[in-house]
Amino acid sequence: MRSTKRSLIIVGLLAVALALAACGAAGQAFQNAGEDLKGGGTGPAAQPADGRDLAGYQPVPGTATGDQVASLADQKIITTGEISVEVPDVTAALVRVRAMAVQLGGYVGGSQAGTKDQTATLTLRIPAERFDEAITRLHKLDGDVIVEATNEQDVTSAVVDLEARITNLQASEVQYRALIAKAVKIEDILAVQTRLDDVRGQIEQLQAQHKELTGLADLSTLTVTLVPTALQQTAGSWDPGKTVADAFAALVGVAQAIGNGSIWFAIVWLPALIGLGIMVLLLWRVTPGLRSRMRREPKVS
């Protein structure tokens, strides 16, 4: 009986020891994870999702890895697209697309407007969360969608990495300002000021890159091309009024050419021809007299 109690006590102590060891390992794991999330880890630096050096950023040692980024910040995705719609009236469709961009909280970034029978192109900046709604509304235009393409680029890692670099540089800026306040020698002040200016320049450059990336992610770019229908293009290719106007213009041009020629003939060529005729007439009259004189003169032996 006593041996059984001893066995139960030993088993209980072993269970308690194993539970304490497990709790200690879990606590250490949470502590390490917390250090990594704060940027104190030694893992590899965050890289862009597509493997390219987006916006010119460089990885910073000690920042979060690509797997950790997804849980640290909301995804930043740059969405672009283009759509071409064949419509019977380009001008009316152009007005509707402009109004749609404003209604969705966006704006028209650029446009190349056309007439009723000419193609028009618009570049819309639409809030990212309403990009799909814009595509849906364009499908409801009075016409047929003939081209549609979209592209998405995840720049979450790039944005998080830029934020980490900006934070680190701002901390360095504070330290340099403190050193300048304590410096006494002129050469020390100039050296620290040089480093401070360099850090300030890097911060401004990274902030500009961060603003550009977040701006592209917040506002999607959608290029809309409005193409007139084939029947409208055929009908618009012949314009009787324009043909009549071109014919009158050609007639006026011929009359102007004739008038200009007459003026040139009367002022320049007619006097020249009259003078040339007088000279020929004089020569014709003088030549027979010379010939008769030569005949009358006696020959010298």
Side-chain angles (χ1 to χ4, degrees), residues 21-289:
C23 290
Q28 183 63 32
F30 279 113
Q31 183 179 359
N32 293 338
E35 292 177 355
D36 290 339
L37 292 178
K38 292 178 181 178
T42 57
Q47 296 291 338
D50 58 356
R52 295 184 299 169
D53 185 16
L54 293 173
Y57 82 97
Q58 298 293 331
V60 174
T63 58
T65 62
D67 294 335
Q68 295 168 338
V69 164
S71 60
L72 289 174
D74 295 334
Q75 282 189 319
K76 294 293 184 180
I77 298 177
I78 297 177
T79 306
T80 57
E82 59 177 316
I83 184 170
S84 297
V85 187
E86 191 176 50
V87 294
D89 191 340
V90 173
T91 304
L94 194 64
V95 174
R96 292 188 60 185
V97 173
R98 288 179 177 273
M100 179 201 72
V102 176
Q103 292 171 1
L104 294 177
Y107 61 92
V108 179
S111 65
Q112 182 179 356
T115 60
K116 186 175 181 180
D117 57 347
Q118 291 181 344
T119 301
T121 303
L122 300 93
T123 302
L124 309 181
R125 298 301 308 277
I126 304 294
E129 63 274 9
R130 308 195 72 177
F131 181 82
D132 293 336
E133 182 181 351
I135 294 292
T136 302
R137 294 180 66 169
L138 288 172
H139 275 272
K140 294 180 180 179
L141 284 177
D142 184 15
D144 299 322
V145 175
I146 54 179
V147 175
E148 180 180 345
T150 59
N151 180 53
E152 294 183 351
Q153 183 180 9
D154 190 349
V155 294
T156 308
S157 299
V159 172
V160 173
D161 185 73
L162 285 170
E163 291 174 351
R165 294 180 64 190
I166 291 171
T167 301
N168 293 337
L169 287 171
Q170 287 175 340
S172 299
E173 182 184 14
V174 172
Q175 294 176 358
Y176 284 132
R177 292 189 184 280
L179 289 175
I180 287 181
K182 295 178 181 180
V184 178
K185 297 181 179 180
I186 298 298
E187 55 270 19
D188 294 340
I189 295 175
L190 293 177
V192 176
Q193 184 65 47
T194 301
R195 298 297 300 273
L196 179 61
D197 293 341
D198 182 60
V199 169
R200 186 67 250 170
Q202 294 182 44
I203 291 174
E204 292 177 356
Q205 182 180 6
L206 294 179
Q207 286 176 339
Q209 294 174 7
H210 182 272
K211 182 179 179 180
E212 180 182 2
L213 279 182
T214 54
L216 291 173
D218 294 339
L219 289 177
S220 302
T221 303
L222 179 60
T223 303
V224 181
T225 303
L226 302 174
V227 183
T229 58
L231 180 61
Q232 185 178 359
Q233 290 178 354
T234 302
S237 60
W238 182 66
D239 187 354
K242 186 175 182 301
T243 303
V244 173
D246 292 341
F248 272 113
L251 179 61
V252 171
V254 171
Q256 289 178 348
I258 294 175
N260 292 336
S262 300
I263 293 172
W264 275 85
F265 180 78
I267 296 177
V268 178
W269 295 109
L270 183 59
L273 290 175
I274 292 175
L276 182 61
I278 293 174
M279 291 178 61
V280 171
L281 181 61
L282 291 175
L283 290 174
W284 182 76
R285 288 185 177 183
V286 170
T287 302

